[in-house]
Amino acid sequence: MKRDKLILVGLIVLLLCTACIAPVSAHRAFVGAFMTGDIHDDVMIRAWYEGNTPMADARVTIYAIEDGIEEIYIEDLTDGQGFYAFEPKWRVTEYEIVVEHTGHRARMTLDLESGESMTSPGNEIPLAARIIAGFGYLLGLAGFAMIYTARKMQKNN
């Protein structure tokens, strides 16, 4: 009986601790790039999460690709709106852009000559699989609760 009360108190404390945690949402990261079109003709990078939330202060690594060899060209941070602009290296038309923030990573290849950009598919779980996994998690918790109450009822009889 005392053990059951201790477990119940522990579960309540755990529930209260999780209620105090700031809400977060699992989301994917994206990166896009475009030419500014001004006299400097910089490349503007925009990094954002699902829901169009900017990746503020994210780490940007830009690799210049010359003759198939990647070398780090720039390492810096995005601004508060998830933007970063850089001047292209002389005679380099292909870049690999990686933006990282709090464990999220977005990657793209930009070819200035052809105007094409390719976003690398992430190893993220598709939305449908995430929804099914969430329901599985909830069903697991419900199962544990049912086992607990069944054992408690069995002890009372």
Side-chain angles (χ1 to χ4, degrees):
M1 187 72 174
K2 187 174 182 174
R3 188 176 139 232
D4 291 339
K5 284 185 180 180
L6 187 61
I7 290 173
L8 184 60
V9 168
L11 289 174
I12 290 172
V13 168
L14 182 64
L15 181 66
L16 290 174
C17 286
T18 58
C20 295
I21 296 173
V24 296
S25 80
H27 43 263
R28 234 179 122 178
F30 300 94
V31 64
F34 56 92
M35 299 297 286
T36 58
D38 59 4
I39 57 171
H40 302 293
D41 216 15
D42 290 344
V43 175
M44 180 70 76
I45 298 169
R46 178 176 179 249
W48 71 98
Y49 296 112
E50 271 180 341
N52 216 18
T53 306
M55 288 178 72
D57 302 318
R59 193 173 83 212
V60 178
T61 307
I62 301 169
Y63 299 89
I65 303 172
E66 292 183 81
D67 301 322
I69 300 171
E70 284 185 8
E71 71 174 43
I72 294 178
Y73 175 50
I74 297 173
E75 288 182 302
D76 208 347
L77 299 175
T78 61
D79 65 9
Q81 297 299 313
F83 287 99
Y84 181 79
F86 72 95
E87 186 176 334
K89 195 173 183 181
W90 178 253
R91 296 195 182 260
V92 176
T93 60
E94 194 172 355
Y95 297 90
E96 180 80 18
I97 300 166
V98 180
V99 182
E100 297 177 276
H101 191 255
T102 62
H104 292 50
R105 176 185 276 193
R107 176 183 293 259
M108 74 172 293
T109 303
L110 176 66
D111 187 351
L112 298 177
E113 197 169 53
S114 67
E116 292 182 8
S117 63
M118 299 269 305
T119 304
S120 300
N123 52 3
E124 304 269 338
I125 300 172
L127 179 61
R130 289 189 285 171
I131 291 171
I132 292 170
F135 280 124
Y137 179 76
L138 293 174
L139 286 172
L141 289 176
F144 281 122
M146 286 190 278
I147 290 170
Y148 175 75
T149 55
R151 285 189 177 175
K152 188 175 179 180
M153 287 174 57
Q154 197 175 34
K155 284 182 182 179
N156 290 340
N157 290 337

